[in-house]
Amino acid sequence: MTTQTGHTEAIAASRVIGTSVYNTRDEKIGSIEDVMLDKLSNGIMFAVVGFGGFLGMGEKYHAVPWSALDYVPERGGYVVPFTEEQLKAAPAYSISELSGDDGEAARDASHNYYGVTPYWH
Amino acid sequence: MTTQTGHTEAIAASRVIGTSVYNTRDEKIGSIEDVMLDKLSNGIMFAVVGFGGFLGMGEKYHAVPWSALDYVPERGGYVVPFTEEQLKAAPAYSISELSGDDGEAARDASHNYYGVTPYWH
C-alpha cells in the first residue's frame, strides 16, 4: 500500500513482484517475492517478502501486511516501518505454510508481530 | 475469488497470472494477464483478462471483478458467469487506462457492465 507518496491508486501485481523493500534506515532488507490474495474476499492478504539468502525449496518468507508497505518513488522501493532487528526476529514461513488452509495461524502470527490487525478478523 | 470449489483460502498472485478463463459454456475466453491491486486500501481491484489476439503495445483488456471469478479445479481455470456475447461487448482498456489516477471511470464502467458494485464506492 502506498500513502500520499504514491502517484497512482492502482498497481499491477506483476509490477509489485520483484520490488525492493527497505527499512527506515535506508537499508535494503529484501524483495517482494509475491503477493498473497484472498480467494474468499476482495482482500490482499499480505506481501511475501524474501530476505535474501539461498533461494530454494525450503526458503522461508516474511508475511508483511500490505498496509505496512509504503512505496517511496525516490527510492524505487517499499519502505517498512520496522528496524532491522525487528525484521530479523520476525516469523518466517514457507509459501505453503502461508497459503494453506492450515496457514491461518502463520498469517495471524505475522500480522500480530507487525502490530497490524488482519482484515479477516 | 473462489467459492466452495476452492481448496485453499489464499493464492499467490504469481499463480493467478497466466490462468485460463472460461465462460459458462466451457469455452476458453482468455487468460488472466495480471491482477490490479489497490495501493490505498487492502483491496484487490480486479483481474486483468486478456481475450487473445495480438499481444502488443496497444492491447486492450477486460477488467473483471475479482468476485466474479470462480476457480474450478477440474477445469484448471476460472469460470465467469457471462456469455460469450457479453464478454465480447464488454468494455476494454489498456493497462495504463486501467491503472492510472484518471482510470476510475474505466474501472467503474467495467464493474457496472458486469453488475458488480466496486468495493471503493
Side-chain angles (χ1 to χ4, degrees), chain B residues 79-91:
Chain B
V79 174
V80 290
F82 311 122
T83 65
E84 198 178 351
E85 291 67 37
Q86 276 180 300
L87 288 159
K88 275 189 179 158

Side-chain angles (χ1 to χ4, degrees), chain B:
Chain B
M1 170 156 123
T2 60
T3 52
Q4 285 69 11
T5 49
H7 290 304
T8 56
E9 262 179 62
I11 189 161
S14 65
R15 292 195 56 195
V16 174
I17 295 168
T19 303
S20 296
V21 180
Y22 299 85
N23 65 16
T24 45
R25 282 170 42 182
D26 268 4
E27 296 156 333
K28 181 175 170 178
I29 52 114
S31 302
I32 300 201
E33 305 287 341
D34 221 324
V35 182
M36 201 66 76
L37 307 177
D38 195 329
K39 291 177 175 183
L40 305 176
S41 83
N42 244 68
I44 304 167
M45 288 185 138
F46 51 84
V48 178
V49 177
F51 45 104
F54 179 71
L55 274 158
M57 291 290 287
E59 202 186 359
K60 302 277 186 173
Y61 300 92
H62 294 310
V64 177
W66 185 243
S67 61
L69 295 164
D70 183 27
Y71 187 75
V72 179
E74 306 85 64
R75 199 158 306 150
Y78 291 96
V79 174
V80 290
F82 311 122
T83 65
E84 198 178 351
E85 291 67 37
Q86 276 180 300
L87 288 159
K88 275 189 179 158
Y93 304 95
S94 68
I95 292 284
S96 64
E97 284 171 325
L98 285 169
S99 63
D101 272 352
D102 51 357
E104 187 162 329
R107 298 190 285 265
D108 284 1
S110 300
H111 279 69
N112 289 343
Y113 184 84
Y114 296 115
V116 175
T117 303
Y119 66 82
W120 56 85
H121 280 306

Side-chain angles (χ1 to χ4, degrees), chain A residues 5 19 26 28-29 31 39 46 55 65 68 75-76 87-88 96-97 102 104 117 120:
Chain A
T5 49
T19 304
D26 268 6
K28 181 175 169 178
I29 52 116
S31 301
K39 291 177 174 182
F46 51 82
L55 274 158
R75 200 158 309 152
L87 288 158
K88 275 190 180 156
S96 64
E97 284 171 326
D102 51 356
E104 187 161 328
T117 304
W120 57 84

